[in-house]
Amino acid sequence: MNYPNLAACVADLQRSGRLVRIAREVDPVLEAAEVQRRVYRAGGPAVLFERVTGSPFPMVSNLFGTTERTRFLFRGALDGVRKLVELKTDPGTAMRRPWRYWDLPLLAWRLRPKFVRSGPVLAHRTTLSRLPQLKCWPLDGGAFVTLPQVYTEHPDRRGWVKSNLGMYRVQFSGNDFEPDRECGLHYQIHRGIGVHHAAARRRGEVLPVNVVVGGPPALAVAAVMPLPEGLPELAFAGALGGRRLRLVRPVGSGEWGVGSQQDRLLPTPLPMPADADFVISGYIDPTRTKPEGPFGDHLGYYSLTHDFPVMTVTAVYHRPGAIWPFTVVGRPPQEDTSFGEFIHELTGPVIPTVLPGLHAVHAVDAAGVHPLLLAIGSERYVPYAATRRPQELLTLANAILGQGQLSLAKYLFIVAKEDAPDLDIHDIPAFLRHVLERFDPESDLHFQTRTTVDTLDYSAGMGLNAGSKVVVAAAGPKRRDLATQVPADLKLPDGFRDPRLVVPGVLALSGPKCGSGADRDIARLCDQLGTLNSKLETLPLVTVVDDSDFAARNFNNWLWAVFTRSDPAGDVHGVGAFIERKHWGCRGPVVIDARLKPHMPPPLEEDAAVTKRVDALFARGGPLHGIEG
């Protein structure tokens, strides 16, 4: 189905039994988000909230809540998108199989947006205060847009060809934002809008911005796609949506809204999707910032309050019957997990064409996506060597960490395809086992310090966007068997307790509460473990956590606790550690301090009173009864 707008999508989901309506009034402050989290966890349908407290607009969530439903939404265009991916992967395939690509001219035509004179989105105006005031977590700093499609054009070359459509957090109430006039625009490091913002600062100009909400579902997916340089998101939205994207530009006097002298001197407003549900139109003054946040975010903690660009709002447009789509961000898995799975389906085959020798990459959702990256590459540099060791893998690792948002990874585990041709990169326990059986802690850990990491990651305590990375490269024959139980004679220093085996070769220990003596605590542990010598050869990875029972309860708990709460340069230790020619290694187990640090923000927790109110919707007789099983 090639939906022209969100309303058509919602109607189709309802006809096919993939959407449920809630007629009872639901508060967008915490209640709607709790409903979404619970429905998503249950693998439930999309949810239409017909009555929203404080707003005349209905809301819809969980549109992309399962990979199956996402495929269903784009079923009319997926074959065409796959053909374009195939041609990117192997351009010569069109010559070998011309009958498969008979419709290539039509597919290419859909990439080009269609400008129209008028569109439904221009039918009505509203204000920020009348939009659904969505808050997802108790300490959120105000209402914000969770599925925004933020559109900008390059100041040096106006037009859609050099445009950027990205999903960046937009806060439109709270803090000291002027009501109905200002929004906070939080974009993370290494995002396309930053290039446009820098150009506007260089030129001494304001940067026009449109925040698009709703519209054809392909727009939301396009806004988060890791597209190659030179392919605008608007073009991809046309391909995925199965139809050319219609764009309309406001015309006539007063379109910038409030009528101040500065507004009248602004450049022409940007074009906007004619079939969007809402468009918040305005501009960024490159010299202004204001505090934005805090907000619960995808690492499972609050991102703290920081100064970010402020957007002056000049008009808020909406179509007749507009619906406000939203999602919830928090500890994975959430709806963006399904987004990621769908995106990997589309883009996975392209990876080897971007980095020759690289066969697969997987950002581990359960670990917060950016903190942990797995990769499989070739190791062919010295094929005649008696023993294979990481060489080409290190070249590939450097290339990966210089590639778009992959550059935000903290931990990169990379292995040689030649050692296990059938290794599944999505089978994370098997992948980790392969690494732990083969890596040499004396030579195979490679650090980058004082570099950039995910904007939302505070594990290093070095400020915004700052942290470190480590590459763990493994190649060659199996070095060790892995323990399948905790050693019976394991003795721990005071303060360390409750050893638990998470998976073969991985130990979790509860450590003392992390404070000013954190490094001394870990040094005592390493000294004690060092007395066991070879007995710990089968336990190459020891992780110190706040609660080992929680970490060992399931593998995803361990992934989340370890990789979101540790910074490689500060928290990777080892038994028999040494530095030789500025290379760090260890002769015994690697020890990761993954305790919650004093400088880190608190984990996300739901409000008990809100949970109790939402229970009624899932109880017998409620509109969501039976969804949770």
Side-chain angles (χ1 to χ4, degrees):
M1 191 71 179
N2 300 328
Y3 306 115
N5 51 52
L6 181 57
C9 171
V10 167
D12 189 38
L13 289 175
Q14 183 165 354
R15 281 192 302 270
S16 62
R18 291 175 168 85
L19 179 138
V20 64
R21 289 174 171 266
I22 298 179
R24 299 185 192 179
E25 184 173 301
V26 176
D27 197 331
V29 178
L30 303 184
E31 286 185 1
E34 174 129 357
V35 170
Q36 161 60 17
R37 286 191 291 269
R38 290 164 68 162
V39 172
Y40 176 81
R41 282 197 299 267
V47 181
L48 182 68
F49 301 81
E50 296 181 349
R51 297 170 57 208
V52 177
T53 303
S55 177
F57 302 108
M59 299 194 301
V60 67
S61 71
N62 214 34
L63 290 171
F64 311 99
T66 68
T67 307
E68 179 277 330
R69 184 155 62 248
T70 307
R71 292 192 202 104
F72 175 82
L73 294 181
F74 302 112
R75 62 196 183 278
L78 275 181
D79 186 60
V81 172
R82 290 188 179 112
K83 289 177 184 178
L84 294 174
V85 172
E86 290 166 4
L87 291 173
K88 168 66 177 173
T89 306
D90 181 6
T93 191
M95 299 294 291
R96 296 190 299 271
R97 304 171 63 193
W99 58 90
R100 171 159 172 73
Y101 301 98
W102 65 270
D103 57 348
L104 185 59
L106 176 60
L107 296 176
W109 180 243
R110 290 174 182 164
L111 298 176
R112 187 175 183 84
K114 178 182 180 181
F115 283 83
V116 296
R117 292 180 178 274
S118 62
V121 71
L122 297 178
H124 301 292
R125 298 280 194 97
T126 187
T127 60
L128 296 177
S129 57
R130 288 176 60 79
L131 301 176
Q133 303 294 297
L134 182 73
K135 289 179 65 175
C136 297
W137 298 99
L139 301 183
D140 283 354
F144 70 115
V145 190
T146 57
L147 282 176
Q149 304 142 37
V150 181
Y151 180 77
T152 56
E153 294 179 354
H154 199 298
D156 294 339
R157 186 180 174 186
R158 306 287 181 183
W160 71 272
V161 174
K162 291 291 186 181
S163 66
N164 179 76
L165 187 73
M167 195 165 284
Y168 316 122
R169 191 168 68 208
V170 179
Q171 180 180 352
F172 59 89
S173 74
N175 295 1
D176 62 347
F177 296 117
E178 186 179 335
D180 287 324
R181 176 66 169 159
E182 292 179 338
C183 292
L185 188 54
H186 176 293
Y187 65 84
Q188 293 157 245
I189 192 172
H190 210 296
R191 299 304 197 266
I193 190 175
V195 176
H196 295 180
H197 194 175
R201 287 179 61 90
R202 170 173 49 78
R203 295 167 63 100
E205 299 174 354
V206 300
L207 180 67
V209 179
N210 279 341
V211 178
V212 181
V213 183
L219 275 169
V221 178
V224 295
M225 282 291 293
L227 296 176
E229 193 75 24
L231 178 60
E233 289 82 6
L234 295 187
F236 181 81
L240 184 60
R243 59 173 63 217
R244 295 175 69 191
L245 182 68
R246 301 197 317 151
L247 295 179
V248 63
R249 189 190 299 275
V251 294
S253 61
E255 288 299 338
W256 282 101
V258 296
S260 71
Q261 180 64 28
Q262 184 179 15
D263 292 327
R264 288 193 292 272
L265 295 176
L266 285 171
T268 305
L270 296 175
M272 59 188 68
D275 298 295
D277 286 75
F278 301 85
V279 172
I280 303 169
S281 189
Y283 60 89
I284 294 173
D285 178 342
T287 65
R288 294 183 67 214
T289 59
K290 279 193 172 185
E292 187 269 359
F295 285 103
D297 229 306
H298 72 259
L299 292 184
Y301 309 89
Y302 286 95
S303 57
L304 303 178
T305 302
H306 298 282
D307 286 348
F308 276 95
V310 58
M311 174 182 173
T312 299
V313 176
T314 51
V316 182
Y317 303 94
H318 73 89
R319 64 174 297 132
I323 303 171
W324 184 267
F326 76 95
T327 189
V328 174
V329 286
R331 180 191 162 183
Q334 302 287 347
E335 189 177 4
D336 53 1
T337 301
S338 301
F339 255 120
E341 292 171 352
F342 180 67
I343 288 169
H344 179 77
E345 282 187 12
L346 297 180
T347 62
V350 179
I351 288 172
T353 70
V354 177
L355 294 175
L358 183 64
H359 300 282
V361 175
H362 177 47
V364 179
D365 183 74
V369 182
H370 292 310
L372 177 59
L373 195 63
L374 311 181
I376 298 174
S378 291
E379 185 51 73
R380 305 162 297 187
Y381 274 9
V382 190
Y384 51 83
T387 302
R388 187 165 29 245
R389 63 186 179 88
Q391 295 178 90
E392 184 177 5
L393 291 184
L394 300 181
T395 300
L396 289 170
N398 285 328
I400 291 168
L401 294 178
Q403 192 73 222
Q405 293 185 34
L406 298 179
S407 67
L408 302 179
K410 288 194 303 184
Y411 290 84
L412 170 57
F413 290 3
I414 185 167
V415 301
K417 185 175 180 64
E418 291 79 4
D419 294 327
D422 297 325
L423 184 63
D424 181 358
I425 200 167
H426 297 283
D427 186 345
I428 303 168
F431 190 98
L432 181 62
R433 181 170 191 150
H434 179 93
V435 172
L436 295 180
E437 287 176 339
R438 285 167 174 78
F439 90 108
D440 182 350
E442 293 192 42
S443 61
D444 291 344
L445 279 72
H446 306 271
F447 290 85
Q448 292 184 13
T449 61
R450 295 183 181 271
T451 185
T452 54
V453 296
D454 189 345
T455 301
L456 308 175
D457 193 325
Y458 293 87
S459 59
M462 295 171 59
L464 207 60
N465 302 319
S468 65
K469 307 178 188 301
V470 65
V471 173
V472 182
K478 180 177 172 181
R479 291 175 173 271
R480 62 183 68 85
D481 292 320
L482 300 179
T484 55
Q485 59 185 14
V486 178
D489 57 349
L490 179 65
K491 294 182 180 180
L492 300 173
D494 291 343
F496 294 89
R497 63 193 186 282
D498 302 329
R500 299 286 186 269
L501 195 78
V502 181
V503 291
V506 178
L507 191 67
L509 307 173
S510 293
K513 184 176 181 180
C514 191
S516 59
D519 287 348
R520 291 193 298 273
D521 291 338
I522 300 301
R524 288 191 296 113
L525 175 65
C526 290
D527 289 344
Q528 178 70 35
L529 295 178
T531 65
L532 298 176
N533 298 323
S534 61
K535 293 182 180 179
L536 284 185
E537 169 64 16
T538 60
L539 279 171
L541 181 57
V542 176
T543 53
V544 181
V545 295
D546 295 296
D547 183 347
S548 59
D549 284 328
F550 169 81
R553 193 173 305 148
N554 62 66
F555 189 55
N556 283 351
N557 281 358
W558 179 81
L559 288 170
W560 178 67
V562 169
F563 294 103
T564 65
R565 298 185 182 185
S566 63
D567 169 68
D571 297 319
V572 173
H573 306 263
V575 174
F578 64 89
I579 296 175
E580 182 178 299
R581 299 177 67 87
K582 298 187 176 64
H583 172 82
W584 185 94
C586 62
R587 297 180 177 88
V590 172
V591 178
I592 300 178
D593 181 2
R595 293 173 291 173
L596 192 63
K597 311 302 189 298
H599 57 259
M600 290 184 64
L604 302 177
E605 295 182 354
E606 293 168 343
D607 183 288
V610 172
T611 298
K612 188 174 181 179
R613 292 200 302 269
V614 170
D615 283 342
L617 297 173
F618 292 86
R620 184 176 298 278
L624 301 175
H625 176 65
I627 286 179
E628 289 187 303

